[in-house]
PDB file of all heavy atoms in Angstrom:
ATOM      1  N   LEU A   2     -43.857  63.294  28.950  1.00  0.00           N
ATOM      2  CA  LEU A   2     -44.843  64.358  29.122  1.00  0.00           C
ATOM      3  C   LEU A   2     -45.065  64.695  30.595  1.00  0.00           C
ATOM      4  O   LEU A   2     -45.195  63.798  31.431  1.00  0.00           O
ATOM      5  CB  LEU A   2     -46.166  63.952  28.476  1.00  0.00           C
ATOM      6  CG  LEU A   2     -46.202  64.029  26.947  1.00  0.00           C
ATOM      7  CD1 LEU A   2     -47.431  63.320  26.406  1.00  0.00           C
ATOM      8  CD2 LEU A   2     -46.172  65.475  26.481  1.00  0.00           C
ATOM      9  N   THR A   3     -45.090  65.959  30.884  1.00  0.00           N
ATOM     10  CA  THR A   3     -45.296  66.583  32.205  1.00  0.00           C
ATOM     11  C   THR A   3     -44.091  66.422  33.129  1.00  0.00           C
ATOM     12  O   THR A   3     -44.114  66.911  34.258  1.00  0.00           O
ATOM     13  CB  THR A   3     -46.548  66.041  32.947  1.00  0.00           C
ATOM     14  OG1 THR A   3     -46.265  64.765  33.536  1.00  0.00           O
ATOM     15  CG2 THR A   3     -47.743  65.955  32.035  1.00  0.00           C
ATOM     16  N   LYS A   4     -43.033  65.773  32.672  1.00  0.00           N
ATOM     17  CA  LYS A   4     -41.868  65.549  33.525  1.00  0.00           C
ATOM     18  C   LYS A   4     -40.770  66.568  33.213  1.00  0.00           C
ATOM     19  O   LYS A   4     -40.878  67.378  32.285  1.00  0.00           O
ATOM     20  CB  LYS A   4     -41.345  64.124  33.333  1.00  0.00           C
ATOM     21  CG  LYS A   4     -42.369  63.064  33.690  1.00  0.00           C
ATOM     22  CD  LYS A   4     -41.839  61.663  33.427  1.00  0.00           C
ATOM     23  CE  LYS A   4     -42.901  60.618  33.715  1.00  0.00           C
ATOM     24  NZ  LYS A   4     -42.453  59.242  33.420  1.00  0.00           N
ATOM     25  N   MET A   5     -39.683  66.515  33.960  1.00  0.00           N
ATOM     26  CA  MET A   5     -38.606  67.495  33.847  1.00  0.00           C
ATOM     27  C   MET A   5     -38.009  67.540  32.444  1.00  0.00           C
ATOM     28  O   MET A   5     -37.673  68.614  31.934  1.00  0.00           O
ATOM     29  CB  MET A   5     -37.499  67.186  34.870  1.00  0.00           C
ATOM     30  CG  MET A   5     -36.350  68.182  34.849  1.00  0.00           C
ATOM     31  SD  MET A   5     -35.088  67.794  36.079  1.00  0.00           S
ATOM     32  CE  MET A   5     -36.035  68.010  37.599  1.00  0.00           C
ATOM     33  N   PHE A   6     -37.849  66.369  31.816  1.00  0.00           N
ATOM     34  CA  PHE A   6     -37.202  66.325  30.512  1.00  0.00           C
ATOM     35  C   PHE A   6     -38.209  66.136  29.377  1.00  0.00           C
ATOM     36  O   PHE A   6     -37.918  65.511  28.361  1.00  0.00           O
ATOM     37  CB  PHE A   6     -36.148  65.215  30.485  1.00  0.00           C
ATOM     38  CG  PHE A   6     -35.042  65.422  31.487  1.00  0.00           C
ATOM     39  CD1 PHE A   6     -34.987  64.655  32.644  1.00  0.00           C
ATOM     40  CD2 PHE A   6     -34.092  66.416  31.299  1.00  0.00           C
ATOM     41  CE1 PHE A   6     -33.981  64.851  33.587  1.00  0.00           C
ATOM     42  CE2 PHE A   6     -33.084  66.625  32.227  1.00  0.00           C
ATOM     43  CZ  PHE A   6     -33.029  65.848  33.375  1.00  0.00           C
ATOM     44  N   GLU A   7     -39.403  66.688  29.553  1.00  0.00           N
ATOM     45  CA  GLU A   7     -40.423  66.619  28.498  1.00  0.00           C
ATOM     46  C   GLU A   7     -39.868  67.176  27.194  1.00  0.00           C
ATOM     47  O   GLU A   7     -39.186  68.206  27.167  1.00  0.00           O
ATOM     48  CB  GLU A   7     -41.662  67.415  28.914  1.00  0.00           C
ATOM     49  CG  GLU A   7     -42.725  67.492  27.837  1.00  0.00           C
ATOM     50  CD  GLU A   7     -43.970  68.231  28.290  1.00  0.00           C
ATOM     51  OE1 GLU A   7     -44.247  68.244  29.514  1.00  0.00           O
ATOM     52  OE2 GLU A   7     -44.668  68.791  27.428  1.00  0.00           O
ATOM     53  N   GLU A   8     -40.211  66.487  26.106  1.00  0.00           N
ATOM     54  CA  GLU A   8     -39.672  66.894  24.801  1.00  0.00           C
ATOM     55  C   GLU A   8     -40.663  66.534  23.710  1.00  0.00           C
ATOM     56  O   GLU A   8     -41.288  65.473  23.740  1.00  0.00           O
ATOM     57  CB  GLU A   8     -38.343  66.172  24.551  1.00  0.00           C
ATOM     58  CG  GLU A   8     -37.709  66.466  23.200  1.00  0.00           C
ATOM     59  CD  GLU A   8     -36.412  65.711  23.002  1.00  0.00           C
ATOM     60  OE1 GLU A   8     -36.332  64.542  23.445  1.00  0.00           O
ATOM     61  OE2 GLU A   8     -35.482  66.267  22.385  1.00  0.00           O
ATOM     62  N   THR A   9     -40.818  67.419  22.747  1.00  0.00           N
ATOM     63  CA  THR A   9     -41.617  67.134  21.559  1.00  0.00           C
ATOM     64  C   THR A   9     -40.772  67.424  20.329  1.00  0.00           C
ATOM     65  O   THR A   9     -40.191  68.511  20.205  1.00  0.00           O
ATOM     66  CB  THR A   9     -42.904  67.987  21.520  1.00  0.00           C
ATOM     67  OG1 THR A   9     -43.758  67.606  22.610  1.00  0.00           O
ATOM     68  CG2 THR A   9     -43.655  67.766  20.214  1.00  0.00           C
ATOM     69  N   VAL A  10     -40.694  66.451  19.451  1.00  0.00           N
ATOM     70  CA  VAL A  10     -39.918  66.588  18.223  1.00  0.00           C
ATOM     71  C   VAL A  10     -40.874  66.513  17.042  1.00  0.00           C
ATOM     72  O   VAL A  10     -41.666  65.570  16.925  1.00  0.00           O
ATOM     73  CB  VAL A  10     -38.855  65.462  18.100  1.00  0.00           C
ATOM     74  CG1 VAL A  10     -38.063  65.620  16.808  1.00  0.00           C
ATOM     75  CG2 VAL A  10     -37.925  65.492  19.300  1.00  0.00           C
ATOM     76  N   ARG A  11     -40.800  67.494  16.155  1.00  0.00           N
ATOM     77  CA  ARG A  11     -41.691  67.553  15.000  1.00  0.00           C
ATOM     78  C   ARG A  11     -40.881  67.549  13.704  1.00  0.00           C
ATOM     79  O   ARG A  11     -39.790  68.105  13.657  1.00  0.00           O
ATOM     80  CB  ARG A  11     -42.568  68.808  15.050  1.00  0.00           C
ATOM     81  CG  ARG A  11     -43.334  68.980  16.348  1.00  0.00           C
ATOM     82  CD  ARG A  11     -44.161  70.266  16.331  1.00  0.00           C
ATOM     83  NE  ARG A  11     -44.822  70.504  17.612  1.00  0.00           N
ATOM     84  CZ  ARG A  11     -44.298  71.171  18.620  1.00  0.00           C
ATOM     85  NH1 ARG A  11     -43.064  71.665  18.497  1.00  0.00           N
ATOM     86  NH2 ARG A  11     -44.961  71.344  19.735  1.00  0.00           N
ATOM     87  N   GLY A  12     -41.443  66.959  12.694  1.00  0.00           N
ATOM     88  CA  GLY A  12     -40.778  66.918  11.399  1.00  0.00           C
ATOM     89  C   GLY A  12     -41.249  65.734  10.591  1.00  0.00           C
ATOM     90  O   GLY A  12     -42.248  65.094  10.924  1.00  0.00           O
ATOM     91  N   THR A  13     -40.551  65.395   9.523  1.00  0.00           N
ATOM     92  CA  THR A  13     -40.901  64.216   8.747  1.00  0.00           C
ATOM     93  C   THR A  13     -40.490  62.969   9.521  1.00  0.00           C
ATOM     94  O   THR A  13     -39.703  63.043  10.471  1.00  0.00           O
ATOM     95  CB  THR A  13     -40.187  64.215   7.386  1.00  0.00           C
ATOM     96  OG1 THR A  13     -38.767  64.107   7.615  1.00  0.00           O
ATOM     97  CG2 THR A  13     -40.475  65.493   6.598  1.00  0.00           C
ATOM     98  N   VAL A  14     -40.994  61.820   9.092  1.00  0.00           N
ATOM     99  CA  VAL A  14     -40.603  60.572   9.749  1.00  0.00           C
ATOM    100  C   VAL A  14     -39.089  60.407   9.703  1.00  0.00           C
ATOM    101  O   VAL A  14     -38.453  60.040  10.690  1.00  0.00           O
ATOM    102  CB  VAL A  14     -41.286  59.354   9.078  1.00  0.00           C
ATOM    103  CG1 VAL A  14     -40.900  58.072   9.810  1.00  0.00           C
ATOM    104  CG2 VAL A  14     -42.793  59.511   9.058  1.00  0.00           C
ATOM    105  N   GLU A  15     -38.502  60.709   8.569  1.00  0.00           N
ATOM    106  CA  GLU A  15     -37.053  60.575   8.407  1.00  0.00           C
ATOM    107  C   GLU A  15     -36.307  61.515   9.339  1.00  0.00           C
ATOM    108  O   GLU A  15     -35.317  61.136   9.977  1.00  0.00           O
ATOM    109  CB  GLU A  15     -36.663  60.865   6.957  1.00  0.00           C
ATOM    110  CG  GLU A  15     -35.195  60.639   6.638  1.00  0.00           C
ATOM    111  CD  GLU A  15     -34.794  59.172   6.733  1.00  0.00           C
ATOM    112  OE1 GLU A  15     -35.483  58.336   6.132  1.00  0.00           O
ATOM    113  OE2 GLU A  15     -33.803  58.876   7.445  1.00  0.00           O
ATOM    114  N   GLU A  16     -36.773  62.751   9.444  1.00  0.00           N
ATOM    115  CA  GLU A  16     -36.113  63.728  10.313  1.00  0.00           C
ATOM    116  C   GLU A  16     -36.211  63.338  11.787  1.00  0.00           C
ATOM    117  O   GLU A  16     -35.242  63.463  12.541  1.00  0.00           O
ATOM    118  CB  GLU A  16     -36.728  65.115  10.096  1.00  0.00           C
ATOM    119  CG  GLU A  16     -36.382  65.733   8.745  1.00  0.00           C
ATOM    120  CD  GLU A  16     -37.186  66.978   8.448  1.00  0.00           C
ATOM    121  OE1 GLU A  16     -38.247  67.180   9.087  1.00  0.00           O
ATOM    122  OE2 GLU A  16     -36.771  67.750   7.559  1.00  0.00           O
ATOM    123  N   VAL A  17     -37.380  62.863  12.205  1.00  0.00           N
ATOM    124  CA  VAL A  17     -37.562  62.459  13.596  1.00  0.00           C
ATOM    125  C   VAL A  17     -36.699  61.246  13.917  1.00  0.00           C
ATOM    126  O   VAL A  17     -36.075  61.169  14.982  1.00  0.00           O
ATOM    127  CB  VAL A  17     -39.050  62.165  13.880  1.00  0.00           C
ATOM    128  CG1 VAL A  17     -39.220  61.568  15.274  1.00  0.00           C
ATOM    129  CG2 VAL A  17     -39.876  63.446  13.758  1.00  0.00           C
ATOM    130  N   LYS A  18     -36.642  60.300  13.000  1.00  0.00           N
ATOM    131  CA  LYS A  18     -35.803  59.109  13.193  1.00  0.00           C
ATOM    132  C   LYS A  18     -34.337  59.510  13.327  1.00  0.00           C
ATOM    133  O   LYS A  18     -33.622  59.030  14.214  1.00  0.00           O
ATOM    134  CB  LYS A  18     -35.981  58.145  12.026  1.00  0.00           C
ATOM    135  CG  LYS A  18     -35.082  56.909  12.098  1.00  0.00           C
ATOM    136  CD  LYS A  18     -35.389  55.971  10.940  1.00  0.00           C
ATOM    137  CE  LYS A  18     -34.404  54.802  10.924  1.00  0.00           C
ATOM    138  NZ  LYS A  18     -33.038  55.234  10.593  1.00  0.00           N
ATOM    139  N   THR A  19     -33.878  60.399  12.467  1.00  0.00           N
ATOM    140  CA  THR A  19     -32.494  60.865  12.517  1.00  0.00           C
ATOM    141  C   THR A  19     -32.211  61.564  13.847  1.00  0.00           C
ATOM    142  O   THR A  19     -31.144  61.382  14.445  1.00  0.00           O
ATOM    143  CB  THR A  19     -32.215  61.836  11.352  1.00  0.00           C
ATOM    144  OG1 THR A  19     -32.407  61.141  10.117  1.00  0.00           O
ATOM    145  CG2 THR A  19     -30.784  62.350  11.410  1.00  0.00           C
ATOM    146  N   TYR A  20     -33.177  62.346  14.326  1.00  0.00           N
ATOM    147  CA  TYR A  20     -33.002  63.052  15.589  1.00  0.00           C
ATOM    148  C   TYR A  20     -32.784  62.074  16.745  1.00  0.00           C
ATOM    149  O   TYR A  20     -31.859  62.232  17.548  1.00  0.00           O
ATOM    150  CB  TYR A  20     -34.225  63.934  15.859  1.00  0.00           C
ATOM    151  CG  TYR A  20     -34.181  64.641  17.196  1.00  0.00           C
ATOM    152  CD1 TYR A  20     -33.496  65.843  17.345  1.00  0.00           C
ATOM    153  CD2 TYR A  20     -34.814  64.100  18.315  1.00  0.00           C
ATOM    154  CE1 TYR A  20     -33.437  66.493  18.574  1.00  0.00           C
ATOM    155  CE2 TYR A  20     -34.760  64.738  19.551  1.00  0.00           C
ATOM    156  CZ  TYR A  20     -34.071  65.934  19.663  1.00  0.00           C
ATOM    157  OH  TYR A  20     -34.011  66.562  20.885  1.00  0.00           O
ATOM    158  N   PHE A  21     -33.624  61.051  16.831  1.00  0.00           N
ATOM    159  CA  PHE A  21     -33.533  60.126  17.959  1.00  0.00           C
ATOM    160  C   PHE A  21     -32.381  59.129  17.829  1.00  0.00           C
ATOM    161  O   PHE A  21     -32.087  58.413  18.787  1.00  0.00           O
ATOM    162  CB  PHE A  21     -34.858  59.389  18.154  1.00  0.00           C
ATOM    163  CG  PHE A  21     -35.885  60.228  18.855  1.00  0.00           C
ATOM    164  CD1 PHE A  21     -37.045  60.626  18.201  1.00  0.00           C
ATOM    165  CD2 PHE A  21     -35.691  60.641  20.169  1.00  0.00           C
ATOM    166  CE1 PHE A  21     -37.982  61.412  18.847  1.00  0.00           C
ATOM    167  CE2 PHE A  21     -36.616  61.429  20.821  1.00  0.00           C
ATOM    168  CZ  PHE A  21     -37.770  61.826  20.155  1.00  0.00           C
ATOM    169  N   GLU A  22     -31.730  59.121  16.699  1.00  0.00           N
ATOM    170  CA  GLU A  22     -30.528  58.294  16.567  1.00  0.00           C
ATOM    171  C   GLU A  22     -29.376  58.880  17.379  1.00  0.00           C
ATOM    172  O   GLU A  22     -28.428  58.175  17.728  1.00  0.00           O
ATOM    173  CB  GLU A  22     -30.126  58.176  15.096  1.00  0.00           C
ATOM    174  CG  GLU A  22     -31.039  57.249  14.299  1.00  0.00           C
ATOM    175  CD  GLU A  22     -30.717  57.246  12.809  1.00  0.00           C
ATOM    176  OE1 GLU A  22     -29.994  58.168  12.350  1.00  0.00           O
ATOM    177  OE2 GLU A  22     -31.191  56.333  12.106  1.00  0.00           O
ATOM    178  N   THR A  23     -29.465  60.173  17.708  1.00  0.00           N
ATOM    179  CA  THR A  23     -28.381  60.831  18.453  1.00  0.00           C
ATOM    180  C   THR A  23     -28.869  61.515  19.732  1.00  0.00           C
ATOM    181  O   THR A  23     -28.139  62.291  20.338  1.00  0.00           O
ATOM    182  CB  THR A  23     -27.686  61.881  17.561  1.00  0.00           C
ATOM    183  OG1 THR A  23     -28.656  62.824  17.087  1.00  0.00           O
ATOM    184  CG2 THR A  23     -27.000  61.211  16.378  1.00  0.00           C
ATOM    185  N   HIS A  24     -30.120  61.236  20.121  1.00  0.00           N
ATOM    186  CA  HIS A  24     -30.680  61.839  21.327  1.00  0.00           C
ATOM    187  C   HIS A  24     -31.331  60.758  22.180  1.00  0.00           C
ATOM    188  O   HIS A  24     -31.633  59.666  21.693  1.00  0.00           O
ATOM    189  CB  HIS A  24     -31.703  62.927  20.968  1.00  0.00           C
ATOM    190  CG  HIS A  24     -31.087  64.145  20.351  1.00  0.00           C
ATOM    191  ND1 HIS A  24     -30.666  64.184  19.028  1.00  0.00           N
ATOM    192  CD2 HIS A  24     -30.802  65.372  20.874  1.00  0.00           C
ATOM    193  CE1 HIS A  24     -30.163  65.380  18.764  1.00  0.00           C
ATOM    194  NE2 HIS A  24     -30.226  66.110  19.864  1.00  0.00           N
ATOM    195  N   PRO A  25     -31.572  61.033  23.465  1.00  0.00           N
ATOM    196  CA  PRO A  25     -32.126  60.024  24.375  1.00  0.00           C
ATOM    197  C   PRO A  25     -33.472  59.478  23.914  1.00  0.00           C
ATOM    198  O   PRO A  25     -34.304  60.223  23.364  1.00  0.00           O
ATOM    199  CB  PRO A  25     -32.285  60.790  25.691  1.00  0.00           C
ATOM    200  CG  PRO A  25     -31.300  61.908  25.606  1.00  0.00           C
ATOM    201  CD  PRO A  25     -31.276  62.300  24.159  1.00  0.00           C
ATOM    202  N   VAL A  26     -33.664  58.179  24.098  1.00  0.00           N
ATOM    203  CA  VAL A  26     -34.948  57.552  23.778  1.00  0.00           C
ATOM    204  C   VAL A  26     -35.548  56.968  25.066  1.00  0.00           C
ATOM    205  O   VAL A  26     -36.078  55.870  25.089  1.00  0.00           O
ATOM    206  CB  VAL A  26     -34.823  56.456  22.705  1.00  0.00           C
ATOM    207  CG1 VAL A  26     -34.537  57.054  21.351  1.00  0.00           C
ATOM    208  CG2 VAL A  26     -33.731  55.451  23.083  1.00  0.00           C
ATOM    209  N   LYS A  27     -35.436  57.733  26.141  1.00  0.00           N
ATOM    210  CA  LYS A  27     -35.969  57.309  27.431  1.00  0.00           C
ATOM    211  C   LYS A  27     -37.400  57.803  27.598  1.00  0.00           C
ATOM    212  O   LYS A  27     -37.800  58.790  27.002  1.00  0.00           O
ATOM    213  CB  LYS A  27     -35.097  57.850  28.570  1.00  0.00           C
ATOM    214  CG  LYS A  27     -33.673  57.325  28.566  1.00  0.00           C
ATOM    215  CD  LYS A  27     -32.873  57.921  29.715  1.00  0.00           C
ATOM    216  CE  LYS A  27     -31.445  57.403  29.721  1.00  0.00           C
ATOM    217  NZ  LYS A  27     -30.638  57.984  30.829  1.00  0.00           N
ATOM    218  N   GLY A  28     -38.172  57.096  28.427  1.00  0.00           N
ATOM    219  CA  GLY A  28     -39.534  57.503  28.722  1.00  0.00           C
ATOM    220  C   GLY A  28     -40.539  56.897  27.762  1.00  0.00           C
ATOM    221  O   GLY A  28     -40.172  56.276  26.763  1.00  0.00           O
ATOM    222  N   GLU A  29     -41.806  57.095  28.080  1.00  0.00           N
ATOM    223  CA  GLU A  29     -42.880  56.605  27.206  1.00  0.00           C
ATOM    224  C   GLU A  29     -43.136  57.628  26.099  1.00  0.00           C
ATOM    225  O   GLU A  29     -43.068  58.836  26.338  1.00  0.00           O
ATOM    226  CB  GLU A  29     -44.152  56.369  28.016  1.00  0.00           C
ATOM    227  CG  GLU A  29     -44.005  55.281  29.072  1.00  0.00           C
ATOM    228  CD  GLU A  29     -43.610  53.941  28.472  1.00  0.00           C
ATOM    229  OE1 GLU A  29     -44.227  53.523  27.477  1.00  0.00           O
ATOM    230  OE2 GLU A  29     -42.669  53.309  28.987  1.00  0.00           O
ATOM    231  N   PHE A  30     -43.462  57.121  24.908  1.00  0.00           N
ATOM    232  CA  PHE A  30     -43.633  57.980  23.736  1.00  0.00           C
ATOM    233  C   PHE A  30     -45.083  58.032  23.276  1.00  0.00           C
ATOM    234  O   PHE A  30     -45.799  57.031  23.305  1.00  0.00           O
ATOM    235  CB  PHE A  30     -42.775  57.468  22.579  1.00  0.00           C
ATOM    236  CG  PHE A  30     -41.298  57.711  22.744  1.00  0.00           C
ATOM    237  CD1 PHE A  30     -40.546  56.924  23.601  1.00  0.00           C
ATOM    238  CD2 PHE A  30     -40.669  58.735  22.053  1.00  0.00           C
ATOM    239  CE1 PHE A  30     -39.185  57.141  23.764  1.00  0.00           C
ATOM    240  CE2 PHE A  30     -39.302  58.963  22.202  1.00  0.00           C
ATOM    241  CZ  PHE A  30     -38.565  58.165  23.063  1.00  0.00           C
ATOM    242  N   VAL A  31     -45.491  59.217  22.842  1.00  0.00           N
ATOM    243  CA  VAL A  31     -46.763  59.383  22.157  1.00  0.00           C
ATOM    244  C   VAL A  31     -46.433  59.918  20.763  1.00  0.00           C
ATOM    245  O   VAL A  31     -45.782  60.955  20.627  1.00  0.00           O
ATOM    246  CB  VAL A  31     -47.701  60.369  22.869  1.00  0.00           C
ATOM    247  CG1 VAL A  31     -49.048  60.424  22.143  1.00  0.00           C
ATOM    248  CG2 VAL A  31     -47.902  59.970  24.326  1.00  0.00           C
ATOM    249  N   ILE A  32     -46.866  59.181  19.758  1.00  0.00           N
ATOM    250  CA  ILE A  32     -46.575  59.554  18.375  1.00  0.00           C
ATOM    251  C   ILE A  32     -47.851  60.058  17.720  1.00  0.00           C
ATOM    252  O   ILE A  32     -48.853  59.342  17.666  1.00  0.00           O
ATOM    253  CB  ILE A  32     -46.039  58.357  17.570  1.00  0.00           C
ATOM    254  CG1 ILE A  32     -44.822  57.740  18.257  1.00  0.00           C
ATOM    255  CG2 ILE A  32     -45.695  58.778  16.136  1.00  0.00           C
ATOM    256  CD1 ILE A  32     -44.350  56.441  17.610  1.00  0.00           C
TER     257      ILE A  32
END
């Protein structure tokens, strides 16, 4: 959040999990 690579992913738990299986999991997360 507030940084260059800020990202928000929305969807079901399954969809979000699938997304992060193939995308960066860097930085602190707010769920």
Side-chain angles (χ1 to χ4, degrees):
L2 284 167
T3 78
K4 300 177 183 178
M5 182 179 296
F6 298 106
E7 175 177 333
E8 178 181 38
T9 294
V10 180
R11 307 179 185 89
T13 65
V14 182
E15 185 66 51
E16 290 170 341
V17 173
K18 177 177 174 292
T19 298
Y20 176 84
F21 281 114
E22 286 174 345
T23 57
H24 291 77
V26 289
K27 297 179 180 179
E29 296 301 312
F30 287 76
V31 184
I32 305 173

